Amino acid sequence: MTVSITVQEPAQLGGSASILMRQRRDHARLDALMNRWQAGGVTDDELDALWQDIVQLVFSHAFAEETVLWPVLRRTEADGEELTGRVEAEHQAINDLIAQVGKSPDDPRRTEWIQQAFALIREDIRDEEDELLPRLRERFGDRRLRRIGAAWEAVRATAPTRPHPGVPRRPPGNALRGVPLSVFDRLRDLAPGSGPAARRAALVVCGAAGVAGAAALMIRAARRPEHARGRHPRRPTCA
């Protein structure tokens, strides 16, 4: 019987570094941000800042899922294609709504679109926590769950933080197109402009390249059997 990860203790989910606990923490943060946005009582600027935090978290989180988690489920579960296809469709619907909000800042339907996006995000969270993620707990031991969690975290660090219609939902296409776009997204998130931001921009680009290399290695490690061993290529560095 599949047991939702929402009712299990951290030790049952492989510990704080496991993919299940990392996912659950992100979901809780998303829920808190959406609740704050819906509660109101703040300025328009604060609402916009909350919305941007939600958008950045949604896209980096979903990109890492599609790159690391769903390929694992498709390989290990007989109905993995059906399960992940449903969640990918939810991700695409969320993507389309958020893109619509971004393209139409003065449209009177903006609040309605945001509320629809929130409903879809909460549905996606339920599907993942109640059905998809418990499959990983049933299939893998704690060590493998922590390895997958490290790969997921590394990919999330280099993931796009905005909607990009041309980025596919599945690897390797999503990584080939998404990671370069993520550099531009994160520069905009950081502080667009010149001066100190320009100096930070160089660090962001270098860091993204380094983490992207680390992410590729971690994804390979997450997919290897428990007993597999081998050398890793050198991590990219900046001069």
Side-chain angles (χ1 to χ4, degrees):
M1 177 180 174
T2 300
V3 180
S4 172
I5 68 168
T6 61
V7 298
Q8 298 187 60
E9 296 296 324
Q12 296 175 286
L13 299 176
S16 63
S18 81
I19 183 57
L20 306 180
M21 285 301 299
R22 291 176 192 267
Q23 286 277 107
R24 200 166 81 174
R25 285 194 295 269
D26 257 20
H27 291 166
R29 185 182 169 213
L30 262 177
D31 192 55
L33 287 170
M34 291 187 293
N35 286 339
R36 284 172 58 194
W37 194 98
Q38 291 177 312
V42 297
T43 67
D44 288 345
D45 286 345
E46 289 170 323
L47 275 181
D48 286 343
L50 275 172
W51 173 244
Q52 289 307 313
D53 286 344
I54 292 166
V55 169
Q56 291 165 21
L57 181 53
V58 162
F59 280 99
S60 60
H61 179 98
F63 184 89
E65 288 178 341
E66 292 167 355
T67 304
V68 177
L69 299 190
W70 305 159
V72 172
L73 281 173
R74 284 193 288 272
R75 287 196 306 273
T76 59
E77 302 297 318
D79 57 347
E81 184 68 40
E82 177 187 351
L83 287 172
T84 60
R86 185 171 74 239
V87 172
E88 286 169 341
E90 292 171 353
H91 286 184
Q92 188 60 50
I94 294 166
N95 183 99
D96 293 344
L97 276 169
I98 291 176
Q100 188 67 42
V101 170
K103 290 186 295 187
S104 311
D106 300 320
D107 195 293
R109 296 168 293 176
R110 184 175 186 271
T111 297
E112 178 186 345
W113 292 333
I114 289 175
Q115 297 284 14
Q116 289 174 4
F118 287 172
L120 282 172
I121 291 168
R122 289 191 166 106
E123 179 182 350
D124 181 64
I125 288 172
R126 287 194 302 271
D127 285 342
E128 291 175 6
E129 293 191 342
D130 295 347
E131 190 164 3
L132 275 74
L133 295 174
R135 301 289 188 96
L136 296 177
R137 172 68 285 184
E138 294 168 359
R139 180 70 63 173
F140 300 123
D142 292 355
R143 183 179 176 186
R144 184 71 179 277
L145 291 175
R146 290 193 293 270
R147 186 188 297 168
I148 294 172
W152 177 87
E153 194 71 53
V155 170
R156 190 177 70 147
T158 61
T161 58
R162 287 175 167 78
H164 295 286
V167 175
R169 301 237 75 91
R170 296 192 176 190
N174 65 341
L176 291 173
R177 293 193 183 185
V179 170
L181 291 171
S182 129
V183 174
F184 294 102
D185 285 354
R186 290 170 186 275
L187 291 177
R188 291 168 63 194
D189 296 341
L190 178 65
S194 57
R199 291 191 293 273
R200 291 196 299 270
L203 296 176
V204 171
V205 172
C206 178
V211 176
L217 298 180
M218 288 183 176
I219 291 169
R220 289 173 57 193
R223 292 174 177 175
R224 289 202 311 269
E226 292 290 343
H227 61 274
R229 294 288 186 273
R231 292 184 177 180
H232 297 306
R234 183 174 298 174
R235 179 175 174 177
T237 58
C238 289

